[in-house]
Each structure stands twice: as C-alpha cells, then as structure tokens.
Amino acid sequence: MFSLKHDAWDIDESEFPDHGSDADKWRFLLKYAVLAPSTRNTQPWEFRLNEHMLELYADRSREATSIDPRGRELVMSCGAALFNLRVALEHFDCAAKISYFPRFDDTDCLARLEMTASKAITRDLGDLFLSIQSRHTQRMPFDGRKPPDKLLQQLEQDAKAEQISVYFVHEEAQRREVGKLVAEGDRQQASSPTFRMQLAGLFRSNLSLRKDGMPGYSHGMGWLRSMLMPSLIDKGGWGDDVAADDFMSVMHAPCLAILSTEEDTMRAWLATGQALSRILLRACGAGVSASYLGQAIELPSLRKQLQKTAGDLGYPQLMLRMGYGEEARATPRLKVRDVLRRV
C-alpha cells in the first residue's frame, strides 16, 4: 500500500533553526519552496547558497524544449518556488531583500535573496502558509460547485499584487471557443513525434522511485496502465480522444481562469509564477483545487487566437480549471539537497 504523502511533503515547522545561521535558515525554508507547482512536475529550479545570500537559477537541464521551447513555463515554475519561499520567510518572521535578475551576465539567475537583520514587517502572506503542504494539482473531475464570487474577487487582487491580471471566462460561447482551441492544441501536440517523446519521458509509473515527473495516479490511473502509458504516449494516436476530454473539461469546469501579462518577457513570466502560487494557495485555503490547460498557450498560433477570444487581455501565460473535488494525492518532490549548491 502506498502512502498518500512523500517524505518531502512532511515538514515539522517546529524544527526551524531560529537561533541557527542564515545558511541554516535558508536550507530549512527551501523545504517549502520545493513544494511549489512546476510544469509537468519537472521542478526546474536550482538554488545557490553562501552564508547570507541565496540565488535562484533556472535549471535548463530540466527543460522540455519541445514542450516549452522559450523556457516560459520553466521560468514560471521558478517563480512559483520563489513565492513559496516568500511565504515561508514571512511565516518564520524572517526579512529578506529580493533582487530580480541581479546578474547581467547570466539571465538564468532569476532572483537573489539576502537576509536582513530586521524582522519581517508585512503580514499579507502569512495566512497562505498552511496551504503550502496541502496544495496539490487536481486533474480529476470537479463536483460542479462554483467557487464563490468573493473568492474570485480575492484572486483578482492576488494577481494584481504580483503585477499580472486574471480573467475569468464566464460566457458559454466564449468558453466553447476556448475549449476548441485547447482541443486543437491537443491534436497538434499529439501529432508531433518530438513532443510525444518528451511527454512520455516525463510520465512515471505508480511504482517509480523517481522524484520528478507525473506519476500515473495523478491522472487517476492504476499501476498497470501507468506502466504502459509512456509507450502509449510515444506511439501517438491519442490526440482526438484527449482533445474531446479536454474540451469537456473546459466546458464543465466550475471556474476557468486565464492569467495574463502586459509584456511577454522573462520578468513577466517570473511574476506569473509568483501570482500562480499565490492564487493556488489562496484557493487551497478555501477548499478549491486547480489543474492546468496549457495547450492553447504552448502553441504560438493558438495563443494568438486565445488572446483575441478572451478579449485582447494581454499575453496569456496560464489557464486554470478550478473547482471542488476529492483531495488530490501528492506528487513526488526532489529534496532540498538535490537542488541546492553551496558556493
């Protein structure tokens, strides 16, 4: 029988080294950062630490170039980890100065954080802390209940606080057009041998000991189907079936949200990732789960159509389906030691 939790998710906050060195505190705080969502659970972040300073890097060795050729989703994933770190800093009353893209000679250095002697002053993130260990992607059907308007209004404010926008698709005709774009994205991606190969490489059987990628149980699969799935993905022929399923997922999603930015730059992607984590943690605290519909954004031609369909809202960066459902099972995570390097 398999545990519903992996050890990386089991953190005892009472073990925080309150009287330890800055480096000791960073290592503990990173336990929360690595629980952030990432594109297909690739966990493409690397942290570099000296005694007082922590730097966040994009780990290009975990980049799925056919799925994410510009590294957009990779940078957003790193932004989500950074936001988790911000929440943990505030919870443990630590203050840090954050500099974005501090190295002009290395754009993969996304952020630098330096501990300061003062205690944390703001308290606008502290109520999100308890959701870090309970937030999981929910790919199963929702039960139909819609999130309350008050929560959606709060999510709009959360996105705005991170300098991005969130747009909720309410009209059925507009939702249908969005669903068609998602379905077309499925068909186009399924027709690409390189896409299928990379996607298959990110799928894991339920018996796998790997700490990254997508285990079959996260898609509601038993152990036998999860073992066969990488081969089935690579062979293709599944585009129409998945397209039909995803179209219905769009049409029946209790809430459909699109996160967008005014610019389409690495800085905007990093901000989107932070907003994503903020929104997901807020929603989780209200009992609302989410999963991703990236097909219409990952393909440039469809992304332009989505932009027009949603009313020229800027550059679409992420699409979420949100609602209420059974508690999702945690997916595996790399440990801090696997993504941390001392310098």
Side-chain angles (χ1 to χ4, degrees):
M1 183 173 181
F2 297 99
S3 171
L4 293 179
K5 288 282 186 181
H6 294 271
D7 53 2
W9 291 89
D10 296 324
I11 310 170
D12 185 350
E13 66 174 288
S14 68
E15 295 178 356
F16 177 72
D18 193 56
H19 300 292
S21 66
D22 287 349
D24 291 334
K25 293 176 182 178
W26 282 126
R27 279 189 289 267
F28 188 86
L29 293 168
L30 284 174
K31 293 181 179 182
Y32 297 95
V34 300
L35 300 185
S38 61
T39 175
R40 296 171 173 85
N41 201 28
T42 50
Q43 303 167 62
W45 41 67
E46 180 184 275
F47 296 92
R48 301 181 187 180
L49 173 67
N50 65 24
E51 188 60 30
H52 302 286
M53 182 178 69
L54 181 74
E55 290 182 329
L56 167 63
Y57 280 78
D59 183 354
R60 298 289 176 180
S61 70
R62 294 183 168 276
E63 189 172 25
T65 53
S66 291
I67 299 171
D68 183 29
R70 298 178 65 197
R72 185 179 58 84
E73 293 180 353
L74 180 150
V75 173
M76 288 192 291
S77 300
C78 292
L82 177 59
F83 185 80
N84 275 24
L85 190 56
R86 287 170 52 197
V87 173
L89 278 163
E90 183 176 304
H91 177 79
F92 290 103
D93 207 22
C94 298
K97 174 185 175 183
I98 304 177
S99 304
Y100 295 104
F101 300 96
R103 295 185 179 274
F104 296 107
D105 60 336
D106 190 349
T107 56
D108 281 344
C109 182
L110 305 177
R112 176 183 294 157
L113 299 91
E114 300 175 80
M115 288 275 189
T116 64
S118 61
K119 294 294 185 180
I121 299 175
T122 61
R123 286 291 180 270
D124 58 330
L125 304 180
D127 58 340
L128 302 178
F129 177 79
L130 293 178
S131 294
I132 291 179
Q133 288 171 266
S134 54
R135 181 221 58 82
H136 310 303
T137 300
Q138 174 57 278
R139 297 182 177 89
M140 300 298 102
F142 295 125
D143 63 17
R145 289 178 293 158
K146 295 183 179 180
D149 290 342
K150 185 176 181 180
L151 174 61
L152 301 187
Q153 292 168 3
Q154 178 61 60
L155 299 185
E156 289 177 337
Q157 293 302 311
D158 284 324
K160 186 177 180 180
E162 301 301 330
Q163 311 301 313
I164 78 157
S165 300
V166 59
Y167 173 77
F168 296 105
V169 182
H170 295 297
E171 297 180 6
E172 184 175 354
Q174 191 178 53
R175 184 180 286 239
R176 183 173 296 277
E177 292 303 311
V178 171
K180 289 178 180 178
L181 292 174
V182 170
E184 177 59 23
D186 283 322
R187 285 187 285 266
Q188 290 189 26
Q189 289 179 331
S191 69
S192 167
T194 54
F195 177 91
R196 295 197 308 269
M197 179 183 66
Q198 289 198 344
L199 183 62
L202 293 172
F203 209 91
R204 309 281 181 255
S205 86
N206 291 352
L207 304 179
S208 174
L209 298 179
R210 291 282 299 268
K211 299 301 183 182
D212 62 356
M214 301 175 291
Y217 61 74
S218 67
H219 290 74
M221 297 179 187
W223 68 269
L224 179 57
R225 183 168 176 78
S226 74
M227 294 182 69
L228 297 173
M229 202 61 192
S231 177
L232 295 174
I233 291 173
D234 196 22
K235 288 180 179 178
W238 44 266
D240 288 340
D241 290 339
V242 173
D245 289 344
D246 284 343
F247 176 81
M248 296 308 296
S249 291
V250 170
M251 295 305 296
H252 294 300
C255 176
L256 190 64
I258 301 174
L259 280 61
S260 66
T261 57
E262 293 184 0
E263 299 181 343
D264 197 25
T265 62
M266 288 183 67
R267 188 175 292 272
W269 304 341
L270 191 66
T272 302
Q274 294 189 78
L276 170 67
S277 183
R278 186 170 186 144
I279 285 171
L280 293 180
L281 293 178
R282 181 80 64 194
C284 179
V288 174
S289 301
S291 61
Y292 312 96
L293 293 162
Q295 304 87 327
I297 300 176
E298 290 170 343
L299 295 166
S301 62
L302 298 181
R303 190 185 189 199
K304 290 180 180 179
Q305 294 181 56
L306 177 65
Q307 185 178 15
K308 293 179 180 179
T309 298
D312 292 320
L313 48 73
Y315 293 94
Q317 302 291 356
L318 277 168
M319 193 186 317
L320 300 172
R321 54 182 283 273
M322 307 177 72
Y324 299 91
E326 296 182 6
E327 181 180 357
R329 182 175 167 185
T331 51
R333 285 295 187 279
L334 297 165
K335 291 186 176 181
V336 170
R337 64 170 180 260
D338 299 319
V339 298
L340 178 63
R341 190 170 64 159
R342 286 299 300 263
V343 293

